[in-house]
Amino acid sequence: GFGFGFGGVGVGGFGGIVSLGVIGGIGLDLVGLIRLGITVFSLVILIAVANSIAIGYALIVVWSIMAYVFYRKGYTLKELLNLSWTGAKTSIVVMQIFLLIGWLIAMWQAAGVIPMIIATGIDLIDPSIFIVCAFLITATVSMLLGTALGTVGTIGIVLITMARAGSIPENIVAGAIIAGAYFGDRNGPLSSSASLVAALTHTKVSTNMPIMFKDGIPALIISTVLYLLLSQWYPLNYENSLLSDTIHFIFNIDWTLWIPVIIVIGLLPLKVSIRWPIGLSALVAAILAYTNQGATLSDLGWYTLTGFELPHYNPLADIIHGGGLQTMFIPTLSIFMATAISGMLEGVGFWNDIRQLLERAKTRSDVFAANVGLAFLTGAVGCSQAIAVVMTHSIMRITYAQRGIQDEDVMLDFENSGILIAPLQPWNIAAYVPVVMMGTSTAGYVPFAFFLYLVPLLYWLRLRNQDQPIIR
């Protein structure tokens, strides 16, 4: 249980961390608190990830310890709760989206939408290039839709289900899917993260797109080659060739099942809240599950709460399942606590003294390396891609201005740091929600998400080759 043990660490481990917090809360300046906060956060998250403990519960522990430390430094409990709520209330819309995605996945399963796409994919995709196709398909869909989470929650679910049915290691395919989803999230004209970076750096998405795409070409090519090699080593291997026939036997497949897909593809590019295409698609899928598949209203209610499941004796039971509001409880709790922690830290001035360390950045590659380091830290503490970008920009904007770095170069720095680093942090919402939706390992995808770490690495090497001391 969470409260009593973490794979041998147990209460004693947390007791030691709490004791550290009590001791650290006395006589430490803000720099000391920063070090303490990072240490506490890292320990708790590492314990949770290593022992497959839900991140949301670990973040409750992190908030409690940090709140106690700041309480000992003179902040009242009311002040800390108000600061936490200031941050947490920003997550309400995102929490609604997560719950809608849970509903969407369950209804797409129940209506036969996902089984239909799987059957179609079996006929169209060459098994020997499945992994590279998973990367390129999700990259293309994400470019069109402008949302990494929406891409994973739709086509990503289909692809990981096909991989599961075809006996390919899930972690490899999950890495390809997440990398592809954030390729589009970084480069897509409709991407909210691209719009956020453009707004922060006083640039335009339309002019940023060709710059970002050109910069990412080497990483895209290398990633594609690596996924092509993995595809040869791990081809799609259905144990029997009757999977498509089985799907058609169990589900009533016809053209109407494409309607929920068309709704998502058609509405997501429009300037409407993502809640509308997801919610409308899920509603239409629920109607189709009732009319086409014979699901009762009671069945639909149960699927909505707990996810879609077939009887255990059904040959597709281990392949077609998932979704539901229940599976989104931990992600919604996680983002609520992450933003609460972020609000509290921002309110007490946690990040202020970090700016002093930026004085050590003497060259252009040093500045980018500092951006990467801060993006990792802010993404780790804030557990959100947006928080990582906004906080890092808030800390570094003066540094960029003092060094006279052009806005387009600043934009590339942020697109190549926080936007891509957040999905590599298993406890970050940018990574945690996709793996929950796909039902895969929390951290097993990381070594195979090639594009996400090739872009910042190659960009840093290029800057380093061109390095000259920055004159301020």
Side-chain angles (χ1 to χ4, degrees):
F2 178 80
F4 300 99
F6 278 84
V9 175
V11 176
F14 274 103
I17 296 175
V18 173
S19 298
L20 176 64
V22 173
I23 295 171
I26 302 172
L28 278 182
D29 58 11
L30 193 57
V31 175
L33 285 177
I34 290 173
R35 293 172 179 168
L36 173 65
I38 294 171
T39 301
V40 169
F41 183 89
S42 301
L43 286 174
V44 175
I45 294 298
L46 285 174
I47 290 171
V49 171
N51 292 273
S52 300
I53 304 299
I55 297 297
Y57 300 142
L59 292 177
I60 292 175
V61 176
V62 171
W63 183 92
S64 301
I65 295 172
M66 288 186 171
Y68 182 74
V69 171
F70 290 124
Y71 174 77
R72 293 297 296 267
K73 293 295 295 182
Y75 290 90
T76 66
L77 181 59
K78 183 178 180 179
E79 288 174 327
L80 295 173
L81 288 174
N82 285 337
L83 293 174
S84 298
W85 173 242
T86 299
K89 66 184 180 182
T90 63
S91 68
I92 292 176
V93 172
V94 180
M95 291 164 62
Q96 293 172 349
I97 293 171
F98 288 169
L99 294 175
L100 284 171
I101 289 174
W103 183 35
L104 176 76
I105 294 171
M107 294 303 99
W108 274 29
Q109 300 273 21
V113 174
I114 290 178
M116 174 196 66
I117 299 175
I118 291 173
T120 303
I122 290 173
D123 297 331
L124 296 179
I125 298 177
D126 186 335
S128 66
I129 58 171
F130 177 78
I131 296 174
V132 71
C133 283
F135 172 64
L136 296 176
I137 289 171
T138 50
T140 302
V141 172
S142 186
M143 283 280 289
L144 294 173
L145 300 184
T147 165
L149 298 185
T151 299
V152 175
T154 51
I155 191 64
I157 298 295
V158 174
L159 290 168
I160 199 67
T161 306
M162 291 180 67
R164 196 172 284 130
S167 304
I168 298 179
E170 291 182 16
N171 289 335
I172 297 177
V173 180
I177 291 170
I178 292 176
Y182 282 99
F183 170 87
D185 190 70
R186 172 183 180 268
N187 296 302
L190 302 174
S191 168
S192 59
S193 65
S195 298
L196 173 63
V197 172
L200 291 174
T201 58
H202 308 291
T203 56
K204 295 181 179 180
V205 174
S206 57
T207 55
N208 292 345
M209 278 185 57
I211 298 172
M212 287 188 289
F213 189 81
K214 180 180 178 182
D215 179 77
I217 286 177
L220 175 63
I221 293 173
I222 295 173
S223 298
T224 302
V225 171
L226 291 174
Y227 289 128
L228 187 59
L229 291 174
L230 287 172
S231 297
Q232 301 301 309
W233 294 330
Y234 299 100
L236 206 61
N237 180 29
Y238 294 114
E239 292 183 359
N240 62 77
S241 60
L242 301 178
L243 180 59
S244 180
D245 293 335
T246 304
I247 289 174
H248 282 84
F249 178 76
I250 293 175
F251 292 92
N252 182 21
I253 305 295
D254 62 37
W255 69 269
T256 61
L257 297 185
W258 286 105
I259 296 175
V261 180
I262 294 171
I263 289 173
V264 173
I265 296 175
L267 292 184
L268 270 179
L270 302 181
K271 296 297 182 181
V272 297
S273 170
I274 191 176
R275 290 172 291 181
W276 286 103
I278 293 176
L280 184 58
S281 178
L283 178 60
V284 172
I287 295 172
L288 292 173
Y290 180 82
T291 58
N292 287 26
Q293 311 302 341
T296 65
L297 293 178
S298 176
D299 290 336
L300 294 175
W302 186 250
Y303 296 155
T304 297
L305 291 175
T306 64
F308 178 73
E309 285 189 2
L310 291 166
H312 66 88
Y313 54 80
N314 192 296
L316 299 179
D318 292 333
I319 301 172
I320 311 297
H321 61 85
L325 303 183
Q326 180 177 289
T327 61
M328 289 295 156
F329 169 73
I330 294 301
T332 52
L333 173 64
S334 299
I335 192 169
F336 182 85
M337 292 308 305
T339 51
I341 293 169
S342 175
M344 180 172 63
L345 295 179
E346 183 72 18
V348 300
F350 187 84
W351 306 108
N352 293 342
D353 283 16
I354 291 182
R355 292 186 176 95
Q356 297 176 1
L357 300 176
L358 297 176
E359 297 298 322
R360 301 179 183 178
K362 302 300 182 184
T363 65
R364 184 68 182 82
S365 65
D366 288 343
V367 173
F368 176 67
N371 191 320
V372 171
L374 279 173
F376 185 89
L377 176 59
T378 54
V381 175
C383 296
S384 162
Q385 184 191 54
I387 290 173
V389 173
V390 172
M391 282 189 174
T392 302
H393 182 266
S394 176
I395 295 168
M396 292 200 67
R397 65 180 186 273
I398 296 175
T399 300
Y400 279 106
Q402 288 177 338
R403 286 159 172 75
I405 299 174
Q406 297 298 312
D407 289 343
E408 288 183 350
D409 293 325
V410 177
M411 175 275 297
L412 262 184
D413 277 19
F414 281 91
E415 289 287 0
N416 292 343
S417 56
I419 297 299
L420 299 179
I421 288 171
L424 289 172
Q425 297 172 315
W427 59 89
N428 193 295
I429 298 302
Y432 186 62
V433 173
V435 299
V436 169
M437 288 192 291
M438 291 188 291
T440 55
S441 165
T442 304
Y445 71 93
V446 172
F448 305 103
F450 303 127
F451 183 79
L452 300 184
Y453 49 81
L454 282 174
V455 168
L457 176 60
L458 295 176
Y459 181 66
W460 177 78
L461 289 173
R462 179 162 64 84
L463 291 177
R464 187 174 175 83
N465 288 335
Q466 301 170 355
D467 259 346
Q468 291 180 355
I470 297 176
I471 300 174
R472 290 186 293 167

